[in-house]
Amino acid sequence: EPVRQPAEGEALVETLLLSIDPAMRVWMNADPGYVPPVALGAVMRAGGIARVLESRIRGLAPGDLVQGRLGWQSHPTLPAAALQKLDLSLGDAEAWIGPLGTSALTAYFGMTAVGRVRPGDTVLVSGAAGAVGQIAAQVGTLNHCRVIGVAGGPEKCAYLTRELGLDAAIDYKSVDDLASAIAKAAPEGVDLYFDNVGGPTLDAAIQNMRHKGRIAICGRISQTTAADLYGVKNLGLAIGKRLRIQGFIVADFHDRYGEARAWLAGELKAGRLKQRLHLLDGLEQAPLGLKMLFEGGNTGKLAVRVAD
């Protein structure tokens, strides 16, 4: 689309960073289920961080940094409702795309509000080396839980234990029986499972849940592009174990974003919270980035750097 000068109540911005998230693939479906689909021929939907170039919005001036639904474009013109001025006292632009961004909010609320994490819990996180998983796992460690991460490959697993301080990490690519591997890492069972993967991984987790365990369903990346969906086979265990299984999206907690960011920023500044950013340079890398998510090609939060 051509660059458009802002009308009253709009701002022209320069995209700096674009977030690449698994949900973007879901938005391409005919019926995503919770948001309108991205139509063929439309600008691809994406959130990110931008710099204001021209503004006709009260309270926004050229040079201000904002976050919003920018799309895969370098110079979008957006209404005030689509933009939020960044509070740089909490963190810089990279912090706002990472540990203060939507993926971190997803992890925070999935662990606290949905999973109801408690000190002493044994926590299992799948996709633990990804954007959401990294923060979810650390919410567990910072709440004095025993945390086990599931990730693909020895490098990702080493990152989880050595740099993020998880108690154990399971390389799902190197084990023949994931359920047995979880049982070995959590011999007394799992109190809280944060699920980013779905499919057989969810089956393996259910098998190892403790009585009245909680499962927060955040994503199912193993099934997003699958030709044949995997049917969870042992859901009947939820009855005897009295499990609570709840799906959620981060927008459920929109009114509490400030609470989450205050906590995340405090832990970040104290050096107790970390998140690795995986940056690709250039807007033309956005399609490659989306593909990488479904091939396990990233470690940490994946984003595209469009401009400095």
Side-chain angles (χ1 to χ4, degrees):
E1 295 184 344
V3 175
R4 180 173 62 82
Q5 293 301 304
E8 188 64 32
E10 294 183 325
L12 169 64
V13 302
E14 177 186 26
T15 301
L16 305 179
L17 294 161
L18 284 177
S19 177
I20 304 296
D21 302 294
M24 300 167 85
R25 175 60 185 83
V26 179
W27 298 338
M28 296 182 193
N29 294 343
D31 182 12
Y34 62 97
V35 292
V38 177
L40 289 172
V43 173
M44 182 60 201
R45 187 183 299 151
I49 307 298
R51 179 187 297 111
V52 176
L53 298 180
E54 298 182 37
S55 174
R56 299 187 67 183
I57 299 173
R58 181 178 299 178
L60 276 188
D64 286 344
L65 295 186
V66 293
Q67 68 168 2
R69 188 171 290 179
L70 309 177
W72 283 1
Q73 45 192 351
S74 61
H75 293 83
T77 298
L78 299 167
L83 297 171
Q84 176 191 355
K85 185 176 178 179
L86 299 191
D87 181 352
L88 296 179
S89 70
L90 298 180
D92 60 14
E94 288 195 356
W96 274 87
I97 201 74
L100 299 177
T102 304
S103 58
L105 299 179
T106 302
Y108 175 86
F109 289 115
M111 288 290 290
T112 59
V114 179
R116 301 177 189 175
V117 65
R118 297 188 290 257
D121 278 347
T122 294
V123 177
L124 178 69
V125 180
S126 60
V132 175
Q134 285 189 27
I135 300 298
Q138 290 177 90
V139 171
T141 61
L142 291 169
N143 276 279
H144 309 290
C145 300
R146 172 175 170 77
V147 183
I148 303 158
V150 179
E155 291 183 6
K156 291 182 179 181
C157 289
Y159 171 70
L160 294 176
T161 54
R162 294 174 187 172
E163 295 193 40
L164 298 190
L166 272 65
D167 296 279
I170 300 169
D171 178 3
Y172 73 87
K173 294 182 177 180
S174 69
V175 298
D176 296 326
D177 186 338
L178 181 57
S180 295
I182 294 171
K184 183 177 180 180
E188 296 183 6
V190 173
D191 297 291
L192 169 57
Y193 172 47
F194 191 101
D195 186 24
N196 289 303
V197 175
T201 306
L202 177 56
D203 256 345
I206 289 173
Q207 185 170 326
N208 284 280
M209 297 301 295
R210 296 186 69 184
H211 181 74
K212 292 190 176 180
R214 294 95 66 202
I215 299 177
I217 304 289
C218 177
R220 52 164 199 161
I221 198 167
S222 72
Q223 304 299 294
T224 304
T225 61
D228 297 309
L229 296 181
Y230 177 92
V232 177
K233 299 176 180 179
N234 61 2
L235 199 57
L237 292 176
I239 301 169
K241 294 187 177 189
R242 279 73 158 181
L243 303 182
R244 182 171 62 83
I245 304 173
Q246 181 178 341
F248 73 100
I249 60 172
V250 69
D252 297 339
F253 305 96
H254 183 269
D255 293 342
R256 296 174 57 190
Y257 283 3
E259 164 201 327
R261 286 198 170 105
W263 186 87
L264 291 163
E267 298 300 317
L268 185 64
K269 290 177 181 178
R272 293 186 291 265
L273 181 72
K274 303 176 183 178
Q275 188 176 55
R276 180 179 291 181
L277 285 179
H278 189 140
L279 293 176
L280 304 176
D281 282 305
L283 181 58
E284 68 278 2
Q285 298 299 317
L288 171 64
L290 186 55
K291 187 169 183 283
M292 285 175 64
L293 286 180
F294 297 95
E295 297 175 345
N298 63 297
T299 298
K301 173 63 184 175
L302 186 60
V304 172
R305 182 163 42 206
V306 180
D308 291 326

